[in-house]
Amino acid sequence: VTGASFVVFNGALKTSSGFLAKSSIVEDGLMVQITRETMESLRQALRDKKDFKITCGKADTGDVKEYVDICWVENEEKTNKG
């Protein structure tokens, strides 16, 4: 689990890169590089207020992957206030 002050979603990751998605720490935030298709799906999920999971890592390996989960919550008091 990583806490961040901001999240940047970059939809310019090329399918030919061999990555499903890439995440990296940038200053005190998180940058997630995703493909254009994933960006379109993310935008629709945000419009519909649906949870969305982005799998990061190489597409051709079976290794443990990183995930970026976007979750809608009912009660804001249970979320991190920092």
Side-chain angles (χ1 to χ4, degrees), residues 25-82:
I25 304 294
V26 179
E27 295 179 13
D28 60 342
L30 178 69
M31 180 171 68
V32 185
Q33 298 175 344
I34 55 179
T35 62
R36 184 170 32 107
E37 295 80 14
T38 304
M39 179 65 88
E40 291 171 9
S41 298
L42 172 59
R43 286 180 175 170
Q44 189 60 51
L46 292 172
R47 281 186 211 108
D48 297 341
K49 295 185 178 179
K50 301 284 184 189
D51 293 351
F52 193 79
K53 184 177 210 170
I54 299 170
T55 304
C56 300
K58 287 256 187 197
D60 59 355
T61 61
D63 296 339
V64 175
K65 308 245 188 275
E66 293 179 0
Y67 299 96
V68 176
D69 288 323
I70 296 110
C71 304
W72 293 88
V73 296
E74 293 291 326
N75 186 349
E76 292 183 23
E77 293 176 13
K78 293 182 182 178
T79 62
N80 182 358
K81 293 188 181 199

